[in-house]
Amino acid sequence: MTVTRDEVEAANQKAVGQMMDSEPTWIDIAPAARKMELRGKKLLHAGPPMAWKDASGPMRGAIIGAVIYEGWADTEKKAVRLVEEGEVVLDCDHHHDAVGPMAGVISPSMPVFELEDKKFGRRTYSNMNEGIGKVLRYGAYSKEVLDRLRWMAETVAPVLRATVGRIVKANGGFPLKPMIAQALTMGDDCHNRYVAATSLFAKQIAPYMVRTGYDPKTLSEVSKFIDGNNFTTLNMGMAAGKAMTLAGHGVKYSTLVTVMSRNGTDAGIWVSSLGKKWFTAPAPVPKGLWFPGFTESDANPDLGDSSITETAGYGGFAMAAAPAIVSWVGGSVQAALDVTERMYEITQAQHKHFLIPFLDFKGTPVGIDLRKVLKTGVAPTINTGIAHREAGVGQVGAGTVTFPIQIFKDAFAAFVDKYGA
Amino acid sequence: MTINVVGEADGSKGLEAGEECELSRSGIRARSVEVTVEGARPYRSLLRRRGAVAFPGPGDLAKGVALLRSLYDASPRGPSLVSDLLFRRFAEGRLVQAAGGARRLGFGDFLGLVGRGGGFTPAGDDFVAGFTSAFNYISRSKGLGQIVISRALVSSRTVPESAAIMVYSSKGYVDEGMERLILDSLGGRAFSDDLMALASRGHTSGLDMSLGVLLAEAVGSGAEDGGRALRKCLAALGR
């Protein structure tokens, strides 16, 4: 049996339709051990599977930090030995329906946002965002970094849990799709710019948060934390993207990409009709703007699950909605427009909910089609943060990067092997 | 590498599209200009030589054709050449006969395809260029007769650029991407990456040329498999 053109078209329409119809809704926040059944000394990380010996500097830093954070070791040396000896087990976020930006490390006691897809019923997860600069997800693991993580778990997460509990009682949860849709019309791309989204989030949860019964000082500290970090909603936006792409995953004959991710060593993708098989190639190094004192030579190859946003039809694919993003990732406003325009060439549809005002409210490009990537030679472009190549340093810039075309060739060859001839 | 464009006495410079060129000792000589190329390695077409030919298996060829067909489906213009009835009749008639040993292909068999279809270089021309480049390489290697393209005849049916590409391709002068596809596929090596590398060329030019190469190899292998590879390829194309 060989698949027909009509069968592929129908499958792709179904997959992209389900991606757009997905209704990711925030319903809880609690430790990963409880929500994701992350047991024992297991750590999740961004991107495709990876052995410790192949891990890049920032990924190593984040893993070391997480081992110390969990109390499994009290020094860097001991932490490394635990991982080297296999006592600490590594696995991909995506294998647990989770995503995390940059190193994307999730450990059992870290709080995770839990989202439920009200349309298709799946649950997805992401960790909390710490801010920018010296943070665990960029490979920093100093005391200051780990203290902040503990404060987030002990102070911020409980308040958010009580808040979302009230939201669930009132409305069934906090829907992410409307927030992303609105933020895209307010100048965010919802990958590297979440200024509007975070403001909308703060505004919308405030009436519930003030009624949680926490004391004013704690509420003030939590509010300040949310307000002080424009990336507060990035992780929820990513978990929403994971829910959307999961909805489009597993459609027989579909050539649409449902995961794009990087672990700082390799970049990898999933294809809707090819199960959870990873297609990988070495991760590229981003081009962009550098924090003072850093240059391209300091950059690690790209990492993070955050390209789930582009996979779901926003982020870099919606850069035309976010002209101000060029002050963060570099390039010109015209270049941002060009990126979005190019992505229409390789996608199945225009999003029916995510609209770009500057393009006359055209829907964002959504549903990356392997066949179109190969036919046009245009690979998906994403925007991204840039980590220092050494463990412990942190973020050194932000920019854009294009996925290696070889990944799409390998995936398409596998598709043809399975369905084509 | 430096390129030096030398003007003629009347001061004119630049190559005209489709202009006759010949390789000179220092570069390219055309009617209006001479382009000298310094520092570049001399171009040697490996398809001009005889080589060892190992036909891909029928399954591999058919898989390659299925891959191309899927990419045709994703082309903005749709599957123009492969859904063209004239092309289908040509493939299912003349090519099948040739693969089965009942017909010897000559230039006249391809004339109906010349100038056919859309694009800067019409789709039919790209197919003919791909087919004849691979077919003639196989024939040359096996000491068999080649398909000789009449420049005069094709020129009256298509644009000059395309006529020139067909003539040169049939003589074994192709670009590196095409050369790699032909040599890898006939050298017992994996060639799906070569196909995908050509896929993004033009609207469908890369696909049409690649399809020509694979069908030429399927026809060429007919003496060994009685046309099985071609039948499998056409089945993959006919979805």
Side-chain angles (χ1 to χ4, degrees):
Chain A
M1 275 296 286
T2 59
V3 63
T4 66
R5 177 190 189 188
D6 290 345
E7 284 170 330
V8 175
E9 278 305 313
N12 286 348
Q13 274 306 117
K14 182 180 175 186
V16 80
Q18 290 179 177
M19 276 191 205
M20 292 191 283
D21 288 344
S22 163
E23 290 173 11
T25 304
W26 176 38
I27 57 165
D28 201 359
I29 179 169
R34 197 185 320 161
K35 284 292 163 189
M36 301 168 62
E37 297 185 4
L38 199 57
R39 305 277 183 235
K41 291 191 177 70
K42 188 171 192 175
L43 295 178
L44 306 185
H45 62 79
M50 167 205 74
W52 168 255
K53 67 179 173 54
D54 300 322
S56 64
M59 181 62 84
R60 283 176 177 238
I63 289 170
I64 292 166
V67 170
I68 297 172
Y69 171 82
E70 287 294 331
W72 299 336
D74 55 6
T75 65
E76 177 189 334
K77 213 172 185 175
K78 288 178 189 169
V80 169
R81 197 166 60 231
L82 284 179
V83 185
E84 278 176 345
E85 290 173 353
E87 200 170 322
V88 171
V89 177
L90 304 178
D91 196 5
C92 305
D93 291 327
H94 278 289
H95 293 171
H96 298 262
D97 294 343
V99 280
M102 303 309 289
V105 169
I106 298 175
S107 67
S109 62
M110 283 182 189
V112 289
F113 292 105
E114 182 179 38
L115 272 60
E116 182 181 58
D117 184 340
K118 296 288 186 185
K119 178 84 176 175
F120 297 104
R122 300 289 290 268
R123 293 195 177 191
T124 57
Y125 306 90
S126 185
N127 51 3
M128 294 177 76
N129 196 288
E130 315 149 72
I132 61 170
K134 274 199 165 191
V135 287
L136 188 82
R137 71 179 189 279
Y138 280 92
Y141 57 92
S142 60
K143 182 174 181 302
E144 162 200 2
V145 171
L146 301 185
D147 285 349
R148 188 194 301 117
L149 282 173
R150 288 192 187 101
W151 175 78
M152 286 164 61
E154 289 161 10
T155 304
V156 181
V159 171
L160 289 179
R161 182 155 210 250
T163 303
V164 75
R166 287 186 164 272
I167 296 173
V168 169
K169 207 173 271 179
N171 304 319
F174 184 95
L176 270 299
K177 197 161 71 176
M179 183 189 80
I180 293 168
Q182 195 175 351
L184 291 175
T185 66
M186 294 168 70
D188 281 357
D189 75 318
C190 290
H191 181 166
N192 261 290
R193 188 175 163 90
Y194 268 92
V195 178
T198 298
S199 301
L200 289 169
F201 176 73
K203 188 177 80 164
Q204 288 168 19
I205 67 167
Y208 302 95
M209 200 163 88
V210 294
R211 293 173 60 202
T212 54
Y214 278 90
D215 63 276
K217 183 173 171 286
T218 303
L219 292 178
S220 170
E221 282 177 2
V222 172
S223 288
K224 268 188 191 166
F225 177 73
I226 293 170
D227 178 55
N229 173 18
N230 283 327
F231 287 103
T232 290
T233 42
L234 162 65
N235 300 41
M236 270 187 281
M238 287 171 55
K242 180 63 186 169
M244 294 171 198
T245 53
L246 256 185
H249 190 73
V251 178
K252 192 177 181 186
Y253 301 142
S254 172
T255 52
L256 298 193
V257 173
T258 48
V259 167
M260 290 197 295
S261 191
R262 312 85 79 203
N263 61 28
T265 304
D266 290 325
I269 66 168
W270 287 2
V271 176
S272 178
S273 60
L274 298 177
K276 293 183 177 179
K277 180 170 172 50
W278 286 96
F279 300 94
T280 62
V285 177
K287 304 271 182 205
L289 295 179
W290 306 97
F291 290 179
F294 297 104
T295 68
E296 191 172 343
S297 63
D298 297 308
N300 194 73
D302 200 21
L303 73 163
D305 291 325
S306 54
S307 40
I308 199 69
T309 58
E310 283 83 5
T311 320
Y314 45 103
F317 283 26
M319 276 173 76
I325 202 171
V326 299
S327 64
W328 177 247
V329 299
S332 63
V333 172
Q334 186 58 49
L337 283 167
D338 292 345
V339 167
T340 296
E341 290 291 359
R342 260 201 319 278
M343 296 305 105
Y344 286 111
E345 294 179 38
I346 59 170
T347 43
Q348 177 73 15
Q350 294 175 16
H351 207 294
K352 58 185 178 186
H353 302 294
F354 299 155
L355 311 177
I356 302 177
F358 189 73
L359 300 180
D360 275 337
F361 293 91
K362 191 175 177 180
T364 60
V366 59
I368 300 159
D369 186 345
L370 280 182
R371 301 171 308 161
K372 291 181 179 175
V373 170
L374 295 172
K375 180 62 204 78
T376 59
V378 174
T381 297
I382 65 170
N383 56 46
T384 183
I386 306 173
H388 197 281
R389 60 189 160 75
E390 289 166 11
V393 180
Q395 183 173 10
V396 296
T400 58
V401 72
T402 297
F403 257 64
I405 200 112
Q406 186 61 42
I407 294 176
F408 301 91
K409 288 182 180 176
D410 293 344
F412 188 60
F415 177 84
V416 173
D417 270 345
K418 185 167 183 182
Y419 299 113
Chain B
M1 186 175 90
T2 57
I3 296 179
N4 180 24
V5 177
V6 182
E8 288 234 318
D10 63 2
S12 64
K13 283 185 180 177
L15 282 169
E16 290 174 20
E19 187 175 329
E20 283 278 6
C21 299
E22 62 182 37
L23 293 174
S24 67
R25 192 175 173 77
S26 57
I28 302 165
R29 182 179 300 119
R31 187 175 60 243
S32 58
V33 292
E34 175 160 331
V35 180
T36 55
V37 181
E38 293 168 8
R41 285 185 306 169
Y43 171 65
R44 298 265 186 272
S45 169
L46 295 175
L47 299 185
R48 299 278 295 164
R49 303 174 186 168
R50 290 181 177 193
V53 169
F55 290 110
D60 290 335
L61 279 172
K63 205 175 285 176
V65 170
L67 186 152
L68 294 176
R69 173 65 202 226
S70 294
L71 295 178
Y72 272 115
D73 292 344
S75 298
R77 291 186 183 183
S80 55
L81 180 72
V82 295
S83 59
D84 182 339
L85 275 179
L86 184 136
F87 174 79
R88 305 301 297 223
R89 279 204 297 270
F90 160 81
E92 285 158 13
R94 297 177 188 203
L95 293 189
V96 168
Q97 290 166 10
R103 182 187 197 95
R104 191 174 159 197
L105 289 175
F107 172 61
D109 290 310
F110 295 85
L111 259 185
L113 295 178
V114 174
R116 190 138 183 115
F120 174 66
T121 54
D125 296 3
D126 291 325
F127 175 83
V128 171
F131 191 98
T132 54
S133 59
F135 187 89
N136 285 353
Y137 172 68
I138 295 164
S139 302
R140 195 176 296 118
S141 299
K142 290 180 172 290
L144 302 173
Q146 298 181 32
I147 298 167
V148 179
I149 293 185
S150 158
R151 182 158 198 141
L153 273 178
V154 292
S155 294
S156 63
R157 285 172 163 79
T158 191
V159 294
E161 296 81 1
S162 205
I165 288 171
M166 281 187 283
V167 169
Y168 280 110
S169 296
S170 67
K171 292 178 179 173
Y173 293 113
V174 296
D175 61 80
E176 288 168 337
M178 282 285 288
E179 186 178 272
R180 204 173 303 124
L181 170 62
I182 293 169
L183 294 178
D184 281 348
S185 55
L186 291 173
R189 293 182 287 277
F191 57 91
S192 62
D193 268 12
D194 300 331
L195 287 175
M196 287 187 261
L198 282 170
S200 59
R201 183 179 298 174
H203 287 290
T204 59
S205 285
L207 297 176
D208 299 328
M209 285 186 168
S210 306
L211 181 64
V213 169
L214 296 191
L215 294 193
E217 294 179 7
V219 169
S221 65
E224 297 174 9
D225 69 5
R228 182 162 167 262
L230 185 66
R231 286 195 298 277
K232 279 193 79 128
C233 287
L234 295 181
L237 199 58
R239 285 177 291 115

